[in-house]
C-alpha cells in the first residue's frame, strides 16, 4: 500500500517475505536450473513434458526472469497437450512473474487472457483470481504513477469479482477482493470507507482458517484507523494481529506488526513506548534469516525523530548516520540486483542464440548429407560455396553483435554510475537537512528558526530532484508534473495545510525538462510557494493555489497564482528590497535569462517566461 520507506508496512510485503524465507529453508540442489530445463526438451509425450516443467516451478532459487522463461515453455507444452486448465495456470504464473519484474503491460495481458479463458469455461474461481490480480496491477500503477483513473479501473474489476464470488459462495476470494478494495479506498484518503470494507472482510473471514490472510486484513485495517486518527482502534487491531502471530510463532509477521505499533505510539505522543517498541522490532527482525532492512530503515527514521523531539541530539545524529549507511546498503543491493538481472538477460539471450544456431546447423548438415549421398558433384560444389558465404556472413554478424553488446554494457555501466552519483548527492543533502533540523532545536529566536526552516525547504527542493534522477531510467531529465506536485504537497504539509483545508490546482503540459533548468525552476517555485503559505492566506476561508507549467513557441512558462490578500507590486519590485528570497529569485531569473511578470487581481500571480535555448 505504501512505499517501503514510509512508516506503514502492509500485509502484501509480509506475503512476499514469507515466500522468500520459506524458499531459503528448502534443501539445496547441485543441479542447475538450465540443466534441469534442458532435460525437458528431450523427446517425450507432451503431457509428460508438461508435468516435468510444472515441477520446475518449485525449483530452489529460481529468479523471476527464469520463471518467465519457464512459464512460456509451460504454456507451449500445455497448448500442445490440449490441457486447458494448465494453459490458464500458465498465464497466471506468467502474470505473477511479470508483475514481480514491474512489467505491468505484459502482466496485464497474461491475466486478461486467463480471465477470457476462465469465462469461456465458466471457471468462476479462476475468474475471481484473475480479476483480483488485474485490480492489484491497476492499484499499483495508480499509486506509483499518481493516476487516480487507475484506482477507478481497479475498483471496476473488484466489483466484477465480488459479484462472482458472492453468487458462487467463494468466500476466501471475496475476502481477498475486499482487502484490495480497502487498500484502494485508503490510498484515495477515503479512510472511513476503507474501515467499513475491512470490517465486512473481517466478518466474512470468521470461519476461514488462513492465518496469513487474517494478519494481512488486521494490519491493513490498523493502518486505515491510524490514517483516520482513530489511534485506540488501530492499537486494538494491531494487538489482535500480534496475538495471531504469537499463536503461530511467526517472527516475520510480528516484526511488521510491532513496526506499525511503534509508529502508532509516536503519533499518540507516547515517545518512551514508541522507542521501546521500535527497539523490539529491530531485535525481532535481526532473528530472521537475511534480516529485514526495510524494517530497520523505518525504525531508524522513527528513533531519530523520537530523539530529536526529546532533545537527545547525540543519539538523533547517531541514528541519522546509521540511517544514511543503511540506505546506501539497500541502494547497493538494488543496483547489484539490477546488474545481475542485466547479465542474466544477456546470458539468456546468448544461450537462445546458440540453440537456434545449433539447430540451424543440424538441419543444414542433414540436407548436405542427402546431397552427398546422391553423388551430385556439381550440387556439392554449389553447397560448399553457399556454406562458405553463410559462415562468412555469420562471422560478420557475430562481430557486429559483439560490438553492439559491448556498447550496451558500457551504456548500462555509465547509467548506473550516474544514478549512484545522484543518490550520493541526495544523501548528502538529507544529512544537511538533518543538521539544520538539529540546529533549529537549539534556537530560541523566531526569526532565526524561520530562516533555518526556509533553508531546509530549499535543500529539500534540490534533494527531490536528485531523488527522482536516481530512481528513474532517465538520468538527465525530470518529470516536472510529478516533481511540482511532490514539492507543493511537501511545503503545504510543512505549513499545516492539507486536502481538507487547501486546494492545489496543477496545469502542467510539459512533462520532461533537463536538470539544468529543473534545479533553478524548483528553487524559484520553492520561494514563491513558501511566500504564499507564509503571508498570502491569512484570513482566507478557502485558500487555493494554481501552478501552471507550459511550453510554446520556444519558451517555457511558469505561473504561480494564489487567491490570497495580494502583494504590493511596488514592494516586490523595489530595488531596496533586501529579502534573501527576493534576491534568490532575481538571481535565478538572470541565470535562466527569464522575464518576470507580477499581476495582482483576486490574489497574486507570478509569471516567468524562460527561453528554451537558455
Amino acid at each position: 500500500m505504501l512505499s517501503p520507506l514510509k512508516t506503514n508496512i502492509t500485509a502484501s510485503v509480509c506475503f512476499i517475505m514469507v515466500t522468500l524465507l520459506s524458499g531459503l529453508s528448502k534443501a539445496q540442489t547441485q543441479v542447475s536450473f538450465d540443466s534441469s530445463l534442458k532435460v525437458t526438451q528431450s523427446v517425450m509425450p507432451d503431457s509428460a513434458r508438461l508435468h516435468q516443467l510444472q515441477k520446475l516451478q518449485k525449483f530452489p532459487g529460481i529468479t523471476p526472469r527464469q520463471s518467465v522463461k519457464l512459464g512460456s515453455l509451460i504454456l507451449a507444452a500445455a497448448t500442445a497437450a490440449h490441457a486447458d486448465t494448465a494453459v490458464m495456470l500458465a498465464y497466471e504464473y506468467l502474470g505473477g512473474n511479470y508483475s514481480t519484474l514491474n512489467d505491468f503491460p505484459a502482466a496485464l495481458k497474461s491475466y486478461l487472457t486467463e480471465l477470457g479463458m476462465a469465462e469461456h469455461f465458466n471457471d468462476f474461481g479462476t475468474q475471481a483470481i484473475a480479476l483480483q490480480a488485474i485490480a492489484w496491477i491497476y492499484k499499483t500503477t495508480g499509486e506509483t504513477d499518481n493516476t487516480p483513473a487507475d484506482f477507478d479501473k481497479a475498483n471496476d474489476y473488484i466489483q466484477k469479482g465480488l459479484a462472482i464470488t458472492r453468487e458462487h459462495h467463494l468466500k476466501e476470494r471475496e475476502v481477498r477482493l475486499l482487502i484490495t478494495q480497502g487498500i484502494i479506498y485508503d490510498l484515495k484518503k477515503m479512510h472511513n470507507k476503507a474501515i467499513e470494507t475491512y470490517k465486512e472482510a473481517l466478518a466474512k473471514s470468521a470461519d476461514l482458517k488462513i492465518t496469513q490472510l487474517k494478519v494481512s486484513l488486521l494490519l491493513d485495517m490498523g493502518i486505515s484507523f491510524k490514517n483516520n486518527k482513530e489511534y485506540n482502534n488501530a492499537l486494538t487491531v494491531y494487538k489482535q494481529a500480534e496475538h495471531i502471530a504469537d499463536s503461530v510463532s511467526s517472527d516475520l509477521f510480528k516484526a511488521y506488526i510491532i513496526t506499525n505499533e511503534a509508529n502508532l505510539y509516536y503519533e499518540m505522543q507516547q515517545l518512551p513506548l514508541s522507542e521501546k517498541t521500535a527497539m523490539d522490532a529491530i531485535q525481532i527482525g535481526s532473528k530472521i534469516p537475511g534480516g529485514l532492512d526495510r524494517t530497520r530503515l523505518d525504525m531508524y527514521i522513527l528513533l531519530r525523530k523520537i530523539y530529536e523531539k526529546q532533545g537527545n541530539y547525540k543519539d538523533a545524529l547517531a541514528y541519522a548516520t546509521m540511517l544514511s549507511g543503511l540506505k546506501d546498503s539497500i541502494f547497493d543491493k538494488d543496483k547489484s540486483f539490477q546488474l545481475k538481472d542485466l547479465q542474466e538477460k544477456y546470458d539468456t539471450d546468448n544461450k537462445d542464440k546458440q540453440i537456434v544456431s545449433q539447430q540451424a546447423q543440424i538441419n543444414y548438415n542433414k540436407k548436405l548429407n542427402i546431397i552427398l549421398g546422391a553423388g551430385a558433384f556439381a550440387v556439392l560444389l554449389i553447397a560448399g560455396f553457399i556454406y562458405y558465404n553463410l559462415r562468412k556472413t555469420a562471422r560478420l554478424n557475430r562481430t557486429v553483435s559483439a560490438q553492439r553488446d559491448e556498447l550496451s554494457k558500457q551504456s548500462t555501466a555509465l547509467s548506473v554510475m550516474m544514478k549512484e552519483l545522484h543518490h550520493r548527492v541526495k544523501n548528502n543533502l538529507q544529512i544537511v537537512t538533518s543538521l539544520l533540523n538539529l540546529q533549529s532545536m537549539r534556537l530560541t529566536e523566531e526569526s532565526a528558526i524561520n530562516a533555518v526552516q526556509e533553508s531546509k525547504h530549499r535543500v529539500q527542493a534540490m534533494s527531490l530532484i536528485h531523488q527522482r534522477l536516481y530512481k528513474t531510467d532517465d538520468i538527465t531529465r525530470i518529470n516536472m508534473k510529478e516533481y511540482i506536485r511532490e514539492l507543493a504537497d511537501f511545503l503545504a504539509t510543512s505549513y499545516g495545510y492539507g486536502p481538507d483545508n487547501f486546494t492545489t490546482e496543477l496545469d502542467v503540459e510539459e512533462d520532461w525538462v533537463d536538470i539544468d533548468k529543473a534545479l533553478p525552476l524548483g528553487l524559484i517555485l520553492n520561494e514563491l510557494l513558501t511566500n504564499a503559505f507564509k503571508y498570502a492566506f491569512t484570513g482566507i476561508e478557502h485558500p487555493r493555489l494554481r501552478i501552471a507549467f507550459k511550453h510554446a513557441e520556444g519558451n517555457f512558462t511558469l505561473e504561480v497564482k494564489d487567491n490570497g490578500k495580494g502583494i504590493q507590486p511596488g514592494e516586490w519590485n523595489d530595488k531596496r528590497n533586501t529579502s534573501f528570497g527576493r534576491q534568490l529569485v532575481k538571481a535565478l531569473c538572470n541565470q535562466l535569462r527569464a522575464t518576470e511578470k507580477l499581476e495582482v487581481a483576486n490574489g497574486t500571480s507570478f509569471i516567468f517566461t524562460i527561453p528554451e535555448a537558455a
Side-chain angles (χ1 to χ4, degrees):
M1 173 176 157
L2 296 175
S3 166
L5 296 184
K6 295 184 181 177
T7 55
N8 293 327
I9 305 297
T10 59
S12 56
V13 179
C14 295
F15 289 139
I16 293 171
M17 292 301 299
V18 166
T19 304
L20 290 173
L21 293 175
S22 64
L24 290 173
S25 65
K26 295 177 181 177
Q28 299 297 309
T29 175
Q30 298 301 316
V31 182
S32 72
F33 174 78
D34 289 335
S35 300
S36 301
L37 203 59
K38 189 178 294 184
V39 173
T40 66
Q41 303 307 302
S42 59
V43 178
M44 66 176 70
D46 292 326
S47 58
R49 178 177 290 105
L50 174 61
H51 179 67
Q52 292 298 321
L53 287 168
Q54 288 173 328
K55 286 169 61 177
L56 287 178
Q57 288 176 296
K58 299 181 179 179
F59 195 93
I62 184 172
T63 68
R65 196 159 299 283
Q66 288 175 326
S67 296
V68 166
K69 181 178 180 180
L70 175 60
S72 300
L73 293 173
I74 292 174
L75 179 59
T79 303
H82 304 288
D84 296 325
T85 300
V87 170
M88 288 191 291
L89 290 174
Y91 278 119
E92 185 178 318
Y93 182 69
L94 282 169
N97 284 289
Y98 279 130
S99 294
T100 302
L101 292 168
N102 292 329
D103 188 350
F104 296 120
L108 195 58
K109 182 178 178 181
S110 297
Y111 284 126
L112 286 171
T113 305
E114 179 190 23
L115 178 61
M117 291 186 67
E119 289 173 342
H120 176 75
F121 293 112
N122 290 326
D123 185 340
F124 303 111
T126 301
Q127 287 180 44
I129 291 172
L131 287 166
Q132 185 195 354
I134 294 168
W136 189 263
I137 289 174
Y138 279 120
K139 188 280 306 180
T140 303
T141 56
E143 181 182 6
T144 55
D145 299 337
N146 195 24
T147 49
D150 283 355
F151 290 148
D152 296 334
K153 290 179 184 178
N155 202 43
D156 289 342
Y157 282 101
I158 289 172
Q159 293 300 334
K160 292 178 184 177
L162 289 174
I164 291 171
T165 55
R166 287 164 179 167
E167 180 181 354
H168 299 282
H169 308 292
L170 304 172
K171 189 169 291 186
E172 179 189 341
R173 287 293 146 199
E174 180 183 0
V175 170
R176 293 186 185 278
L177 283 161
L178 287 170
I179 293 174
T180 303
Q181 188 176 52
I183 292 172
I184 292 172
Y185 282 140
D186 202 62
L187 286 170
K188 294 172 70 175
K189 302 191 185 306
M190 300 168 63
H191 306 308
N192 287 323
K193 190 72 174 173
I195 292 167
E196 290 176 11
T197 305
Y198 289 137
K199 286 181 178 179
E200 181 183 355
L202 195 60
K204 300 272 187 182
S205 67
D207 55 349
L208 295 177
K209 306 298 183 183
I210 307 175
T211 301
Q212 292 179 356
L213 183 63
K214 289 190 176 181
V215 172
S216 166
L217 173 55
L218 290 168
L219 270 174
D220 289 328
M221 183 186 292
I223 291 168
S224 288
F225 274 129
K226 174 180 173 291
N227 291 340
N228 206 36
K229 311 296 185 185
E230 298 181 44
Y231 297 138
N232 290 330
N233 288 334
L235 187 59
T236 298
V237 294
Y238 283 156
K239 290 300 183 183
Q240 291 175 8
E242 188 176 349
H243 176 72
I244 295 174
D246 286 336
S247 69
V248 295
S249 301
S250 173
D251 286 335
L252 179 64
F253 277 135
K254 190 163 184 179
Y256 282 117
I257 293 164
I258 65 174
T259 294
N260 281 284
E261 287 181 8
N263 282 295
L264 178 61
Y265 285 131
Y266 182 82
E267 293 289 334
M268 298 170 71
Q269 302 299 315
Q270 298 185 24
L271 300 187
L273 194 53
S274 178
E275 178 188 2
K276 179 184 179 302
T277 310
M279 293 295 189
D280 289 343
I282 294 171
Q283 192 271 331
I284 293 174
S286 66
K287 296 192 296 186
I288 298 171
L292 293 175
D293 286 343
R294 303 294 180 183
T295 296
R296 281 198 296 144
L297 194 68
D298 286 337
M299 293 300 93
Y300 285 173
I301 292 172
L302 179 60
L303 287 167
R304 186 199 67 192
K305 287 161 53 179
I306 290 171
Y307 292 135
E308 284 180 3
K309 211 163 194 176
Q310 292 175 333
N312 183 352
Y313 304 120
K314 178 182 177 182
D315 287 343
L317 186 57
Y319 273 97
T321 304
M322 291 166 64
L323 177 63
S324 179
L326 182 57
K327 283 182 179 178
D328 284 343
S329 173
I330 294 173
F331 178 79
D332 290 342
K333 288 180 183 178
D334 290 342
K335 291 304 163 192
S336 175
F337 175 79
Q338 289 180 17
L339 291 173
K340 182 179 178 183
D341 186 53
L342 286 171
Q343 185 64 45
E344 187 179 307
K345 288 182 185 176
Y346 175 75
D347 293 342
T348 301
D349 186 55
N350 273 351
K351 288 177 183 177
D352 289 343
K353 288 178 181 177
Q354 289 174 8
I355 292 172
V356 171
S357 176
Q358 291 170 2
Q359 188 62 45
Q361 188 65 45
I362 291 171
N363 293 337
Y364 177 79
N365 288 338
K366 286 181 180 179
K367 292 179 182 178
L368 187 61
N369 287 333
I370 294 173
I371 294 171
L372 289 172
F377 182 70
V379 176
L380 177 62
L381 290 176
I382 294 172
F385 178 74
I386 293 173
Y387 177 74
Y388 170 77
N389 281 281
L390 286 174
R391 290 292 300 273
K392 185 177 180 180
T393 302
R395 283 196 298 271
L396 179 60
N397 287 339
R398 284 196 296 270
T399 301
V400 173
S401 177
Q403 292 173 347
R404 187 169 56 247
D405 290 340
E406 182 62 27
L407 287 173
S408 177
K409 287 180 181 179
Q410 292 175 2
S411 176
T412 301
L414 177 61
S415 177
V416 170
M417 285 190 292
M418 285 298 294
K419 288 188 177 185
E420 171 70 9
L421 175 62
H422 288 303
H423 174 67
R424 299 292 180 183
V425 172
K426 189 268 303 178
N427 269 4
N428 288 337
L429 290 173
Q430 285 189 339
I431 291 175
V432 171
T433 301
S434 296
L435 293 173
L436 288 172
N437 201 31
L438 291 173
Q439 183 64 36
S440 67
M441 294 287 187
R442 299 186 178 186
L443 299 175
T444 57
E445 292 185 14
E446 188 68 23
S447 59
I449 293 173
N450 290 337
V452 172
Q453 184 74 5
E454 291 174 8
S455 297
K456 284 169 53 183
H457 292 167
R458 293 178 185 117
V459 172
Q460 182 67 14
M462 294 186 289
S463 177
L464 288 175
I465 286 180
H466 289 284
Q467 178 175 310
R468 288 197 163 276
L469 286 170
Y470 90 81
K471 283 188 175 180
T472 61
D473 292 332
D474 196 328
I475 57 176
T476 61
R477 299 187 305 161
I478 291 295
N479 186 312
M480 288 299 287
K481 185 172 186 178
E482 295 177 358
Y483 171 68
I484 290 173
R485 178 176 294 280
E486 189 171 0
L487 179 60
D489 288 346
F490 164 74
L491 290 172
T493 303
S494 297
Y495 286 98
Y497 292 97
D500 55 338
N501 64 352
F502 183 76
T503 302
T504 304
E505 299 175 8
L506 288 187
D507 182 10
V508 180
E509 294 180 358
E510 182 65 20
D511 283 348
W512 294 94
V513 174
D514 289 342
I515 184 176
D516 291 340
K517 286 189 176 61
L519 267 172
L521 280 172
L523 287 170
I524 290 173
L525 187 60
N526 177 78
E527 296 304 320
L528 297 179
L529 296 182
T530 297
N531 197 57
F533 287 125
K534 286 176 65 178
Y535 306 115
F537 300 128
T538 304
I540 303 300
E541 185 176 356
H542 299 293
R544 185 173 67 256
L545 194 64
R546 180 179 183 274
I547 306 172
F549 185 70
K550 301 181 180 182
H551 178 262
E553 300 179 356
N555 292 318
F556 295 105
T557 303
L558 173 66
E559 179 182 2
V560 179
K561 179 176 176 55
D562 62 61
N563 67 334
K565 57 187 180 180
I567 192 173
Q568 294 298 324
E571 178 183 345
W572 175 261
N573 293 318
D574 190 345
K575 293 183 178 180
R576 292 172 296 177
N577 187 342
T578 59
S579 163
F580 179 76
R582 170 76 181 101
Q583 292 176 346
L584 179 59
V585 170
K586 287 293 185 183
L588 293 169
C589 283
N590 290 335
Q591 177 183 334
L592 293 170
R593 292 167 52 198
T595 59
E596 173 192 338
K597 181 179 179 183
L598 172 62
E599 296 178 354
V600 180
N602 297 322
T604 302
S605 176
F606 286 94
I607 303 172
F608 297 87
T609 303
I610 306 102
E612 183 178 4

